[in-house]
Amino acid sequence: MHRFSAVLVAVTLGVGPAPVAAQDLMQFRAPSGNIHCLLFAGDGDWWGARCDILEASLSYPFPPADCDLDWGHAFEVPSQGMAGPVCAGDTVADPSSFVLGYGASVSLGGVVCTSAQTGMTCINRQGHGFTLARAAQRVF
C-alpha cells in the first residue's frame, strides 16, 4: 500500500490523525455517481487525490503479486510524483459527497481534479495524473 493510501484509510475510517482543518479534506463525486474522489492535504508531502470508479471496464485488471486486496478501481496521484492504480481494501465513495458538475474543477495542495462528461481527471503540478471513465482508465 502506498503511503498516501495508508493515510486515506486512516482518514476515511476515522482512525489515526485527523486533518488539521476542514479544508484539508475535500470529497466529491461525478454527476453520474460512478466516480468518487477525495482530495487530501496533510503534513509534508501527504497531499494528493484518490478517485474510485464503481463500474467500469478495467484497464488495469491484473494486480501486482503483492496486492491481495481490490485492484483496478482506485487511482491516486500525490502532489509530487507519479499517479497509478491503488491496491485498496477501502473506498472513498460517499453518496452524500457534493457533486462536481461537468466542466467544473476543484483543487487542493497542488492537485486539480476536473469533471467532464468523458470522465474525471486529476493532475498534479508536474503533469502526472489519471483520467477515469467507465470505458477506460488512463494514467499519465
Side-chain angles (χ1 to χ4, degrees):
M1 182 181 305
H2 296 282
R3 182 174 143 179
F4 182 68
S5 295
V7 171
L8 287 177
V9 170
V11 171
T12 57
L13 295 178
V15 298
V20 175
Q23 68 268 19
D24 292 339
L25 185 67
M26 185 183 312
Q27 213 161 359
F28 55 95
R29 60 188 168 92
S32 68
N34 193 40
I35 301 170
H36 293 250
C37 299
L38 177 73
L39 281 170
F40 176 81
D43 293 332
D45 62 350
W46 288 38
W47 298 57
R50 172 170 159 188
C51 292
D52 293 0
I53 187 160
L54 304 180
E55 294 180 17
S57 296
L58 298 180
S59 298
Y60 299 86
F62 304 107
D66 63 346
C67 177
D68 59 355
L69 300 171
D70 292 331
W71 179 260
H73 75 279
F75 292 77
E76 68 182 18
V77 61
S79 62
Q80 296 182 22
M82 303 295 289
V86 178
C87 179
D90 64 347
T91 183
V92 298
D94 180 356
S96 68
S97 61
F98 84 89
V99 174
L100 183 63
Y102 297 134
S105 296
V106 291
S107 66
L108 185 65
V111 176
V112 177
C113 294
T114 302
S115 176
Q117 288 183 324
T118 55
M120 186 75 70
T121 299
C122 294
I123 187 169
N124 66 19
R125 290 182 184 145
Q126 296 173 318
H128 301 295
F130 56 79
T131 298
L132 304 184
R134 191 178 307 267
Q137 304 79 54
R138 183 174 68 92
V139 173
F140 50 90

